[in-house]
Amino acid sequence: MAFLNINATLPEKGRDLRLDLFRGVANWAIFLDHIPDNVVNWITTRNYGFSDAADLFVFISGYTASFVYARMMLDRGFIVGATRLTKRVWQLYVAHIILFVIYIASISYLALRFGDSEMINEFNVAGLVDNATETLRQGLFLRFKPLNLDVLPLYIVLMGLFPPVLWFMLRKPDLTMALSIVLWLAARHFGWNLTAYPAGQWYFNPYCWQVLFVFGAWCSMGGARRSMTLINSPITLWLCLFYLLFALVMTMAGRFPAFGGMFPEWLFSAFNPNDKTNLAPYRFIHFVVIVILVIRFVPKDWPGLEWKVFDPLIVCGQQSLAVFCVGVFLSFVGHFELSMSSGSLFAQLFVSIAGIAIMTTVAYYISWSKKQDKPLKPPPAKPAAEAKAA
């Protein structure tokens, strides 16, 4: 049957350091962006365009999921590929629960220790005071999420539903991408979202954010290669640069009211506030533009990826799950430290640099530890003549 034919182009074997590099960038940026009143987070991309590190994290997650599991699904069957994906989902879920418990325990302890009742409300853990048992139960079902613990539940849901999507993507990649876009636009139009506890909805609407995850998988499965003529077109380059400039202007208009007042209200309000929950079309297009420029100017074999200056970012990207969890917790610690101190420029720099240093140290340690778990290679056998002479 034609429908069962494989039409996707599998990615080349071998590690793509671009994924590790940009995943490391996303982890560092998410850490910095989660610390309010911190001048250092002005270096992150969210201040200069519509998309930010969360978009990058979800896109790369979809890209790497297909990169890792597509060949396995083809070589060993759907069941094996699906069970390996499910194993990864379980790892993500366990990591989230451990982070969830440590996070809320730390917030509750510090709020009690320093008599800061506002901290409980600020980090959305007031439910633990009113109804601890039900709140914890809802946390296990991913419906209750303290502040800044929204990304992993989204990742878990998208990965959990990915096996049939990947099966379909391997056979009809363009149709899968089109259906993902239809679901995203329908969810925006009809207001579909998952409910949160004790009220409200998910901060990252899975019905909408899945389009970034599937877009990553589509690029991995040959979508980017099939689009190289369009990507390398001079007209595409100029349109991309114009859109980046436009996104920068509109984002700055939202950051600085005096500057924003220079624009017509209909134009300003169309992009401010930035609709992150339901992944506004202008936000998705902004990220697609960035992907196009990266594919065009940073090929997989770019020599710069071997530069030592990028090593910390690449290692953090390779140990992404652990670094992400450590970064989320450290962002809370940094936020608490700045709120309890003067919040001076020096304190902001110290908290930011120390946090990134700790994340990087954790990444290097895990990388080193994994190497120690591998059996040592036996020394090469000596040539017969050399052994006889000895």
Side-chain angles (χ1 to χ4, degrees):
M1 294 176 61
F3 181 76
L4 296 178
N5 294 336
I6 303 302
N7 295 307
T9 305
L10 295 183
E12 298 175 1
K13 292 183 178 180
R15 193 151 198 140
D16 189 339
L17 290 180
R18 293 177 302 177
L19 300 176
D20 297 326
L21 174 65
F22 287 113
R23 191 157 46 183
V25 169
N27 277 324
W28 285 15
I30 288 172
F31 161 70
L32 292 173
D33 288 341
H34 283 172
I35 305 176
D37 303 318
N38 178 23
V39 69
V40 182
N41 62 31
W42 270 95
I43 69 173
T44 64
T45 56
R46 72 170 183 176
N47 302 288
Y48 308 102
F50 299 135
S51 61
D52 61 22
D55 307 63
L56 179 58
F57 184 89
V58 173
F59 170 82
I60 293 180
S61 298
Y63 193 109
T64 54
S66 58
F67 185 89
V68 172
Y69 297 103
R71 197 175 301 276
M72 181 184 299
M73 190 172 286
L74 285 179
D75 294 343
R76 304 173 64 182
F78 173 78
I79 298 299
V80 173
T83 55
R84 296 307 88 190
L85 271 164
T86 303
K87 179 182 177 181
R88 182 57 176 170
V89 172
W90 174 249
Q91 292 171 342
L92 294 170
Y93 180 76
V94 170
H96 172 70
I97 295 303
I98 293 173
L99 176 61
F100 172 78
V101 171
I102 294 174
Y103 198 76
I104 60 176
S106 301
I107 294 171
S108 302
Y109 170 77
L110 291 175
L112 181 63
R113 173 70 175 78
F114 292 93
D116 188 356
S117 58
E118 284 302 313
M119 183 185 299
I120 292 177
N121 293 320
E122 181 180 1
F123 286 90
N124 191 33
V125 294
L128 289 170
V129 177
D130 303 328
N131 193 349
T133 301
E134 181 62 18
T135 301
L136 290 173
R137 190 179 74 86
Q138 294 294 339
L140 294 175
F141 289 113
L142 306 180
R143 295 188 63 225
F144 169 68
K145 297 179 290 295
L147 182 69
N148 297 334
L149 259 63
D150 302 280
V151 176
L152 266 185
L154 172 69
Y155 188 14
I156 291 168
V157 168
L158 295 180
M159 282 288 284
L161 298 175
F162 192 54
V165 175
L166 180 57
W167 185 92
F168 198 69
M169 174 74 72
L170 285 166
R171 290 153 179 83
K172 298 289 182 180
D174 294 339
L175 178 58
T176 306
M177 187 70 250
L179 292 175
S180 174
I181 293 174
V182 169
L183 175 59
W184 163 51
L185 296 177
R188 286 184 54 82
H189 179 75
F190 294 107
W192 299 338
N193 197 348
L194 300 181
T195 58
Y197 178 86
Q201 297 177 315
W202 279 39
Y203 181 69
F204 292 104
N205 183 345
Y207 294 112
C208 295
W209 279 77
Q210 54 77 27
V211 75
L212 273 173
F213 193 88
V214 175
F215 178 54
W218 179 81
C219 287
S220 175
M221 294 288 98
R225 271 167 285 182
R226 293 193 300 274
S227 307
M228 288 307 297
T229 301
L230 176 64
I231 290 173
N232 290 323
S233 167
I235 296 177
T236 301
L237 176 60
W238 284 111
L239 288 174
C240 288
L241 294 176
F242 173 79
Y243 193 78
L244 287 182
L245 178 61
F246 174 74
L248 171 63
V249 171
M250 286 295 98
T251 302
M252 287 297 171
R255 294 283 188 272
F256 302 100
F259 181 57
M262 299 171 59
F263 297 92
E265 175 60 25
W266 64 267
L267 179 62
F268 176 85
S269 60
F271 303 97
N272 292 285
N274 189 328
D275 183 7
K276 188 172 185 177
T277 293
N278 296 307
L279 193 68
Y282 55 80
R283 185 183 182 103
F284 179 61
I285 293 172
H286 182 261
F287 186 78
V288 171
V289 164
I290 293 174
V291 170
I292 289 173
L293 294 178
V294 169
I295 293 173
R296 180 167 181 154
F297 294 109
V298 188
K300 183 179 179 180
D301 58 354
W302 180 53
L305 295 170
E306 303 291 341
W307 294 349
K308 291 297 182 183
V309 69
F310 290 139
D311 278 357
L313 281 166
I314 289 173
V315 175
C316 284
Q318 290 171 345
Q319 311 301 333
S320 180
L321 179 58
V323 171
F324 173 83
C325 293
V326 170
V328 169
F329 179 73
L330 289 177
S331 67
F332 158 69
V333 175
H335 182 185
F336 176 76
E337 174 63 26
L338 292 180
S339 65
M340 297 299 293
S341 66
S342 61
S344 63
L345 177 61
F346 174 80
Q348 296 171 46
L349 290 171
F350 174 79
V351 163
S352 301
I353 294 173
I356 289 176
I358 294 172
M359 293 163 65
T360 305
T361 301
V362 168
Y364 273 104
Y365 171 75
I366 294 175
S367 181
W368 172 84
S369 180
K370 287 182 177 179
K371 290 179 182 178
Q372 307 316 305
D373 292 335
K374 296 179 180 179
L376 292 174
K377 293 182 179 180
K382 294 181 179 180
E386 184 179 333
K388 188 174 182 181

